Every structure is written in C-alpha cells, then in structure tokens.
C-alpha cells in the first residue's frame, strides 16, 4: 500500500517519508495540488496525507477530486490551520481525519494505521501461499503462523506478488507499485530486491518460490515438495 504525501515543505516531507518508511509504508511526495493530481492519476494510493497551504491553493480543494478519482482512499489533512472552523471545513470537505501542526510522529503513524484499518471497510481475507500468510488489513506477514518483519520495499514486493499469486506480475507493474513515479530507479533495483526477498523467504523456509520470466516479470507460488 502506498501513501501520497502532499506537502510543500521539503524538510518536513522528507522526515515524514522517513518515518513512514520505518513503519513499513512507502510514501510518494507531491509538493503542489497539480503534482498531487498527476500522482493520483497514476497510482492507486491507499491514503493521502494532505497539507492545506500549498503553493497553488488550499489542499482541501483536492478532497472532492480525490474522492471521485479514488473512492476508497483515506484522506488525512495535516496542517497548521488548527482553528475549530478550519477543522470543521476540512472534515466537511470530505477528509477522514485532521491533524494539526506541530504534531507528534507517533500520533501521525497511529492515525495512519487506524485509517488504513478502516480503508475500504470490506473485510479483506488473508492471502495464503505455501507457508506464507499475509493479512492485508494490518499488512502483517506470517510464515508458518509466526509474524515476520520485512523492510519497506521487500514487504511491498511480497504484497504485490501475493495479491496476484500464481500469476505473472509484470516488471512494470511491480516498479509502479514499489517505487514512486518520481523516483529514479535503476533497472537492476527490482532484481536486487527480488534476490533479497528470495533469500529471506529461503531462510524462513517459507515454502514459496518466486519464479522469474526474464524481462517479463515475476510470480510467487507454493514450492513443490
Ligand atoms: Ca504548506
């Protein structure tokens, strides 16, 4: 699951992205309403963290558009505009949550987790392949019933493969899912990431195999005994 962070203060955007990455999320940054629109068109985000004072307008103007483009997406407004009437206006415009600056990272992360639990609202069944099970609601990976911790992008890769288990997922689809539209990605980055995930799954004796079709993509399937 990717998060779009719409924030025009570079330093703040970077530190939020870093904190999100530490918690296993990957965030793309947009620094204006226009940037955000472009990113939303390209990528199915689970959540948008939205600043209000942006160089080309008020972030909450974007909320109805976000709703139209991506009906299931969660919108958290994160802003210095903290007067009650501003908060009310933000929530009335369709935001799911509102947090005022200065804020505490732990609180932001807790609210993001809570929002993602509500995400979509429909019960998402766990995906089970071989000895691996993935709970999409809380993004928890377990191997033979035991939770394992995977780093941000490894988790995203595994998640993307498991969502299409036993089917080939194209390199492009994986790159789109794992890396943001603005990230400068070396073609070898995906190969290296796959190699790391394979090694990890092997160490865990997870009973799954990641098959490669050269130049086309990857597929995860239960390993044959
Ligand atoms: Ca701002």
């Amino acid at each position: 699951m990717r998060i779009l962070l719409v924030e025009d203060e570079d330093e703040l955007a970077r530190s939020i992205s870093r904190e999100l990455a530490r918690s296993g999320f990957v965030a793309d940054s947009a620094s204006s309403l226009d940037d955000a629109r472009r990113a939303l068109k390209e990528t199915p985000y689970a959540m948008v963290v939205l600043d209000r004072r942006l160089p080309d307008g008020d972030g909450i103007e974007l909320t109805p558009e976000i709703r139209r483009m991506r009906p299931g997406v969660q919108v958290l407004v994160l802003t210095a505009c903290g007067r009650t009437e501003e908060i009310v206006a933000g929530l009335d415009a369709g935001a799911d949550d509102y947090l005022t600056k200065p804020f505490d990272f732990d609180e932001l992360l807790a609210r993001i987790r809570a929002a993602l639990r509500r995400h979509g609202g429909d019960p998402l069944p766990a995906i089970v392949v071989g000895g691996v099970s993935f709970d999409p609601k809380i993004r928890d990976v377990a191997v033979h019933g035991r939770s394992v911790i995977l780093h941000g992008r490894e988790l995203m890769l595994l998640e993307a493969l498991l969502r299409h288990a036993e089917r080939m997922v194209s390199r492009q689809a994986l790159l789109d899912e794992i890396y943001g539209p603005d990230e400068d990605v070396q073609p070898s980055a995906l190969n290296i990431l796959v190699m790391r995930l394979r090694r990890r799954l092997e160490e865990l004796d997870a009973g799954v195999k990641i098959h490669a079709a050269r130049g086309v993509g990857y597929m995860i399937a239960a390993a044959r005994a």
Side-chain angles (χ1 to χ4, degrees):
M1 269 189 272
R2 301 188 76 89
I3 296 175
L4 178 65
L5 173 63
V6 189
E7 171 61 66
D8 62 329
E9 285 161 60
D10 274 355
E11 206 166 306
L12 181 61
R14 269 199 301 276
S15 52
I16 295 175
S17 299
R18 214 169 29 236
E19 291 296 321
L20 288 172
R22 258 188 220 139
S23 304
F25 298 109
V26 173
D28 298 330
S29 288
S31 57
S32 67
L33 291 176
D34 262 359
D35 259 13
R37 283 190 189 100
R38 260 196 303 279
L40 283 159
K41 259 182 219 132
E42 281 171 18
T43 309
Y45 292 101
M47 178 152 195
V48 180
V49 176
L50 190 58
D51 182 25
R52 285 195 60 178
R53 288 185 194 135
L54 292 162
D56 52 352
D58 184 340
I60 61 169
E61 285 169 25
L62 196 62
T63 323
E65 283 176 59
I66 297 173
R67 290 269 170 261
R68 265 198 310 279
M69 280 157 94
R70 306 277 181 202
V73 75
Q74 292 284 319
V75 180
L76 188 157
V77 175
L78 180 62
T79 171
C81 309
R83 297 205 318 272
T84 305
E85 59 269 32
E86 290 170 320
I87 297 174
V88 169
L91 294 171
D92 280 351
D96 297 287
D97 201 357
Y98 203 104
L99 185 61
T100 54
K101 297 172 183 170
F103 62 94
D104 185 274
F105 276 119
D106 286 338
E107 182 175 2
L108 175 64
L109 290 171
R111 284 177 186 243
I112 288 173
R113 282 195 300 271
L116 291 174
R117 278 199 297 275
R118 292 192 301 265
H119 175 64
D122 24 311
L124 301 167
I127 302 167
V128 181
V129 180
V132 178
S133 67
F134 175 74
D135 182 339
K137 284 193 294 294
I138 51 173
R139 305 186 73 230
D140 180 60
V141 178
V143 174
H144 304 301
R146 262 217 191 122
S147 275
V148 287
I149 292 168
L150 292 177
H151 295 294
R153 295 196 206 272
E154 286 171 45
L155 179 60
M156 298 200 72
L157 171 63
L158 181 62
E159 182 177 353
L161 291 171
L162 287 172
R163 285 184 191 280
H164 310 276
E166 322 262 328
R167 279 174 288 160
M168 193 58 72
V169 188
S170 74
R171 289 181 61 88
Q172 194 54 55
L174 292 171
L175 288 168
D176 289 348
E177 178 93 13
I178 299 164
Y179 302 94
D182 302 326
E183 271 180 272
D184 191 17
V185 187
Q186 299 291 319
S188 58
L190 184 61
N191 307 36
I192 293 167
L193 191 61
V194 168
M195 202 174 69
R196 286 213 309 259
L197 181 61
R198 272 189 181 136
R199 199 182 309 146
R200 192 73 205 284
L201 292 170
E202 227 163 80
E203 281 165 12
L204 293 162
D205 196 16
V208 291
K209 215 171 163 210
I210 298 175
H211 302 272
R214 194 196 287 265
V216 179
Y218 295 95
M219 175 180 93
I220 198 166
R224 312 223 175 276

